[in-house]
Amino acid sequence: EAGVAQSPRYKIIEKRQSVAFWCNPISGHATLYWYQQILGQGPKLLIQFQNNGVVDDSQLPKDRFSAERLKGVDSTLKIQPAKLEDSAVYLCATQRGPYNEQFFGPGTRLTVL
Amino acid sequence: RKEVEQDPGPFNVPEGATVAFNCTYSNSASQSFFWYRQDCRKEPKLLMSVYSSGNEDGRFTAQLNRASQYISLLIRDSKLSDSATYLCVVNGRANNLFFGTGTRLTVIP
């Protein structure tokens, strides 16, 4: 079974620029999560989708972050404009159903200069 | 108060040693508990779920104390390959997950 795919793997941008990340879930996984992991910390949930609907985006900084999951499959996470403190690894995880294991993609490492 | 709090570590132990990690959680309504392992510059991967009765998987034993809102992970006979960061994870509302900061383990030859 193919795993969660993410791209790009690395991205370096300057502050105030925009950036987008892409996630392709494991086939059949209805739930998709985006996490932000700052160096030395555990992953922090940004947004949770169930199919193409948002379940929880309470920790998403909506003034600069947006995410969508059109058609309930692939998802994109966008930051505009980026700030220095957005430097982190952005992890996508997917899950077949409630209480099932979450599988993580390799992440996108973002550096904002 | 953070949803999940873990021992800060790091833990440096010799091969063959037994090491224990602890974690507390704040939401008494949480129903699902996990330990994830994260290798350096890699994504987290599920190590084991934690059940109320306690559970064991080879050299790894996980325990849950609901009354104290406390979770533990015991690793016996540590191997070099056990070196990683261990993340304590607890579910929140909508079944999302809250991760602890992680405890870094280094097993020394």
Side-chain angles (χ1 to χ4, degrees):
Chain A
E1 177 176 72
V4 178
Q6 287 189 248
S7 68
R9 293 295 310 278
Y10 304 91
K11 189 74 178 178
I12 300 174
I13 62 173
E14 294 188 349
K15 60 183 179 183
R16 291 190 288 274
Q17 285 188 320
S18 300
V19 65
F21 313 127
W22 172 82
C23 173
N24 179 242
I26 294 173
S27 177
H29 282 203
T31 310
L32 185 148
Y33 306 82
W34 282 102
Y35 291 88
Q36 179 193 60
Q37 187 172 24
I38 293 172
L39 186 65
Q41 298 182 21
K44 184 186 92 170
L45 178 69
L46 293 175
I47 189 167
Q48 176 186 353
F49 291 95
Q50 179 72 22
N51 295 309
N52 62 345
V54 175
V55 175
D56 186 353
D57 63 357
S58 57
Q59 298 188 83
L60 187 73
K62 298 181 188 61
D63 57 333
R64 298 184 301 106
F65 286 65
S66 64
E68 59 183 11
R69 192 183 183 198
L70 299 176
K71 301 180 183 178
V73 182
D74 292 5
S75 178
T76 55
L77 176 69
K78 296 179 182 177
I79 308 175
Q80 62 179 87
K83 293 185 175 181
L84 296 176
E85 59 261 37
D86 298 332
S87 294
V89 176
Y90 290 84
L91 293 161
C92 177
T94 71
Q95 186 181 39
R96 183 175 298 278
Y99 309 110
N100 293 134
E101 177 181 353
Q102 286 193 21
F103 292 88
F104 284 81
T108 297
R109 186 174 298 274
L110 173 67
T111 302
V112 182
L113 302 176
Chain B
R1 184 182 171 189
K2 289 184 180 178
E3 296 279 348
V4 180
E5 302 212 45
Q6 286 187 247
D7 281 353
F11 286 68
N12 300 312
V13 302
E15 268 187 292
T18 295
V19 61
F21 305 138
N22 304 313
C23 159
T24 57
Y25 61 95
S26 60
N27 184 357
S28 59
S30 294
Q31 295 294 320
S32 302
F33 309 91
F34 311 93
W35 284 99
Y36 274 69
R37 170 188 169 133
Q38 187 170 27
D39 291 293
C40 189
R41 302 181 80 85
K42 298 285 189 181
E43 71 272 21
K45 292 186 179 178
L46 180 66
L47 177 66
M48 58 196 303
S49 300
V50 186
Y51 304 119
S52 296
S53 55
N55 49 299
E56 189 173 305
D57 182 2
R59 299 179 293 107
F60 298 84
T61 301
Q63 301 234 313
L64 168 65
N65 183 322
R66 286 187 183 273
S68 302
Q69 294 180 204
Y70 171 96
I71 305 162
S72 65
L73 176 68
L74 183 77
I75 305 176
R76 290 182 300 278
D77 188 23
S78 299
K79 312 289 185 192
L80 296 178
S81 57
D82 294 334
S83 297
T85 295
Y86 291 83
L87 297 159
C88 177
V89 186
V90 175
N91 81 298
R93 57 188 172 87
N95 200 40
N96 51 25
L97 297 182
F98 289 97
F99 286 75
T101 302
T103 301
R104 191 168 180 178
L105 171 66
T106 301
V107 181
I108 304 163

